[in-house]
Each structure stands twice: as structure tokens, then as C-alpha cells.
Amino acid sequence: MILRDAWLLATGTLTAVRVPPPSRVDRPVAGLAMVLAPVAVLPLAVVAAILALLGDRFGLAPLATAYVVLLALALGTRAFHWDGLADTADGLTASYSPERSLEVMRTGPVGPAGVVAVVLVAGLQAAALASVIRHEHGWVAVGLLVCASRACLAIACVSGVPAARADGLGATHIGSVPDVGALLSLALTIVLVALAGFVLGSVWPLLVGLALMLAAVVALVFRCVRRLGGITGDVLGAAVEVSFAVLVLAAATS
């Protein structure tokens, strides 16, 4: 039952796929949901891969195809992660007061820092995806990397990471993943990244990219804990978009 509830929670939270609500949502279920995140987003990965393949087959410019893929991913997540990236950037630049920063993240409209963060990260993702799509089987790598990028959630929610506030969507998930769960999610991601590298003809750049992704997630979590006293659901969304950007940039060098 806990596996079913975790699957439903992960799928319903991380995608726009309609699923029944889980029968219970507590910290064990939330922790397992974060571990299952790379698999729960498989529908998004399949859509992204198909669009990349179709764009290539119909002769659409790789950059245009990349933006179509990003649009589909945004729609498939209700732009949830992009909102988190924008709010996190605004919160970290709003004030030295944790209370004021958290208030900006909760209620404020998107500010200059949020706009810049979204534009830059989306631009990096699109440029890198365009390069990946040019590979003969790049569409397969695109789908694999969508799944792999979600491993950041288990890392960011590992036991010991504090929540910045007691309420909010992320409060139940943050700190709920046991160490073994984070390691299992990481092991799955290594396999996914290695497969993407194999498809593109070079594994090592992707493994280096995975290391850089982990470093970026740890740095983001550390920074938010120091500035805000913990992390929020917005920070998790930011971690997803940053992780995907790092992985596709690494893939673009393969």
C-alpha cells in the first residue's frame, strides 16, 4: 500500500497526469515518493523523447524542437518547477531577513531575479537540447535525462535537511528520504545517465555532468539552509530545472 501511495503522490505532484489521490500522505510515503521521482516522470520523458524524434524526422530546426520539448515539459508539470526557480531566485535576492525572503517566495509576483533565472536556465536548456537532438539517437537521451534529473529530489530531501517553514507543499517531503533511499535513487540515476552517454557515444561527459548536478543541488540546498533556515517546495522545483540544465549541457559535449 505504501508503494502505491508513494507512486500516486509522486506522479500527481511531479506531473500533470491525472491519478487517484493516495490513501495517505505522511513522511514515509513522501520520502518514498521522492525516491520514485525518476520513474514517476516516465510519461513526461516519453513525450519529450517522441517530440524530439518527430522534430528531427520532420526537419524542424533543432533549436525549435528543443523549445517544443521544453514547452511540453512545462505543460506536463504545470510549470511547477519553473515557478519554484523564479520564487527561489527572488527569495534569495530579496532581503537578508529569512522571514522577508520566505514571504516573497510565498506571495510575491515574479521579480527581476526570478525573470533572469528562468530566462537563463531555459536558454541553457534549449541550446544544449538542440545539440543533443542533432545526434542520431539523441531523442532517446532526451527521455533518459528527463528521468535522471529528478534524482535531485531525493538528494535535496534526504534526512537531516530542514524545512524553512512548517506549512507548504514541500514540508512533508523535506528531510523525509532516508540515506539508503537517496543512494538507491542515485544508483538508478547513474544507470540512466550512463545509458544516455552510451546512446550519444561517450559516457564520461555524462558522468561528470551527474557529479556537477549533485554539486549544484548540494550547493543550492546549503545556500538556502544558511539564508532561509531550510528549504521549501520552491527550492525543490529550482533544483529540478537546474539539474536538467546541467545534465543536458554535459550531454551536449558528448
Side-chain angles (χ1 to χ4, degrees):
M1 182 61 73
I2 185 174
L3 181 60
R4 176 181 181 275
D5 286 336
W7 178 267
L8 293 175
L9 178 61
T11 304
T13 302
L14 300 176
T15 77
V17 177
R18 290 182 176 272
V19 294
S23 60
R24 79 179 218 243
V25 178
D26 53 22
R27 289 184 68 78
V29 170
L32 184 54
M34 294 297 93
V35 174
L36 294 175
V39 184
V41 298
L42 185 59
L44 299 184
V46 171
V47 170
I50 290 174
L51 289 174
L53 175 62
L54 291 177
D56 179 63
R57 293 294 183 268
F58 285 100
L60 189 63
L63 185 58
T65 301
Y67 273 112
V68 171
V69 170
L70 291 181
L71 175 61
L73 290 175
L75 292 175
T77 59
R78 310 179 191 90
F80 194 50
H81 306 315
W82 288 112
D83 178 69
L85 175 63
D87 286 344
T88 299
D90 284 335
L92 291 176
T93 58
S95 170
Y96 287 108
S97 165
E99 293 77 15
R100 172 58 182 161
S101 293
L102 288 171
E103 185 63 22
V104 167
M105 293 171 69
R106 181 201 294 268
T107 62
V110 178
V115 172
V116 170
V118 169
V119 169
L120 288 180
V121 175
L124 287 172
Q125 289 183 2
L129 275 175
S131 179
V132 174
I133 289 169
R134 289 188 180 96
H135 285 264
E136 182 179 0
H137 300 294
W139 60 278
V140 178
V142 170
L144 290 169
L145 294 177
V146 169
C147 292
S149 65
R150 271 53 177 183
C152 70
L153 295 171
I155 304 302
C157 292
V158 72
S159 177
V161 175
R165 50 178 177 245
D167 59 345
L169 181 61
T172 305
H173 299 75
I174 296 164
S176 65
V177 178
D179 293 343
V180 65
L183 290 174
L184 287 173
S185 185
L186 180 58
L188 173 60
T189 306
I190 291 173
V191 173
L192 294 173
V193 166
L195 287 174
F198 178 77
V199 167
L200 296 175
S202 183
V203 174
W204 282 109
L206 268 298
L207 293 178
V208 172
L210 176 58
L212 292 175
M213 182 198 92
L214 294 175
V217 171
V218 171
L220 176 63
V221 169
F222 183 74
R223 175 61 175 164
C224 290
V225 169
R226 290 197 63 183
R227 279 279 285 106
L228 308 174
I231 68 172
T232 67
D234 286 328
V235 177
L236 299 180
V240 167
E241 296 302 342
V242 170
S243 295
F244 188 56
V246 172
L247 286 180
V248 292
L249 281 170
T253 67
S254 296

